[in-house]
């Protein structure tokens, strides 16, 4: 059991390195394995990195966003957005129409963001865009202006009231 805990701790220590490599453009599993091996970083059990070890490590760490797991992440985000739609509608009705005002109000109400923390301007902006996309894809948009998210962010949308 102690061996598994130590291996998991070593895997967690890789998160910043993996994020750094992805930011540098090494996004494929093979490219990540090559870069980890070039840097001399051993796997959790001291071996070399391969495509499979990268996939398994990313999956265990919750960083694997490809394939069905990526689809699952998007579906979960859609479900969270749909659950928040009534709250956003309520805020808009109460006069909170800017992204900043909505962010402030969500934090005052101590509503946790997706990762359980506070809301930020970017996370609220993404939420509003996701709600707009969901509304557009469901065919519930009443007026067909080509302003895109600008009308949504200004509170001019219909069915969600956002």
């Amino acid at each position: 059991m102690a061996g598994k805990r130590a291996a998991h701790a070593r895997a967690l220590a890789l998160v910043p390195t993996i994020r750094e490599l992805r930011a540098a453009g090494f996004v494929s599993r093979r490219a990540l394995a090559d870069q980890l091996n070039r840097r001399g970083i051993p796997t959790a059990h001291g071996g070399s990195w391969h495509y499979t070890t990268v996939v398994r490590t990313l999956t265990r760490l919750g960083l694997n966003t490809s394939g069905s797991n990526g689809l699952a992440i998007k579906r979960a985000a859609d479900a969270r957005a749909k659950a928040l739609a009534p709250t956003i509608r309520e805020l808009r009705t109460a006069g909170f129409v800017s992204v900043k005002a909505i962010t402030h109000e969500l934090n005052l109400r101590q509503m946790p963001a997706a990762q359980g923390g506070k809301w930020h301007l970017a996370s609220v902006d993404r939420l509003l865009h996701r709600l707009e996309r969901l509304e557009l894809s469901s065919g519930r948009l009443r007026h067909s202006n080509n302003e895109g998210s600008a009308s949504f962010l200004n509170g001019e949308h219909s069915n969600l009231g956002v």
Side-chain angles (χ1 to χ4, degrees):
M1 187 69 130
K4 282 189 177 186
R5 277 191 228 132
H8 185 69
R10 284 192 296 274
L12 283 175
L14 280 175
V15 172
T17 303
I18 291 171
R19 288 192 174 136
E20 176 190 331
L21 290 171
R22 283 181 165 173
F26 301 104
V27 292
S28 77
R29 305 321 179 241
R30 291 190 199 289
L32 287 171
D34 290 343
Q35 288 302 311
L36 290 168
N37 286 327
R38 281 192 186 120
R39 291 180 178 210
I41 300 171
T43 64
H45 295 288
S48 296
W49 289 94
H50 302 279
Y51 174 88
T52 306
T53 51
V54 170
V55 170
R56 288 179 182 160
T57 301
L58 292 177
T59 301
R60 284 186 190 118
L61 294 173
L63 298 174
N64 192 359
T65 57
S66 66
S68 61
N69 193 26
L71 183 58
I73 291 168
K74 289 177 185 175
R75 286 184 179 156
D78 286 348
R80 279 191 306 274
K82 287 176 186 176
L84 284 166
T87 303
I88 300 297
R89 184 183 313 116
E90 176 189 332
L91 292 174
R92 292 275 192 210
T93 302
F96 300 102
V97 293
S98 72
V99 174
K100 186 175 183 177
I102 292 170
T103 303
H104 181 71
E105 192 63 24
L106 289 172
N107 286 325
L108 278 179
R109 294 179 181 204
Q110 296 182 341
M111 297 188 75
Q115 299 297 317
K118 289 188 172 188
W119 288 94
H120 300 279
L121 292 174
S123 55
V124 171
D125 189 49
R126 284 191 303 271
L127 169 65
L128 297 177
H129 283 284
R130 183 172 296 278
L131 285 170
E132 177 187 20
R133 184 185 50 76
L134 290 170
E135 186 176 5
L136 288 170
S137 68
S138 69
R140 295 186 331 204
L141 188 61
R142 281 191 213 150
H143 47 83
S144 59
N145 61 11
N146 290 325
E147 297 173 32
S149 60
S151 63
F152 182 74
L153 295 174
N154 291 327
E156 298 172 5
H157 271 240
S158 55
N159 292 346
L160 290 176
V162 287

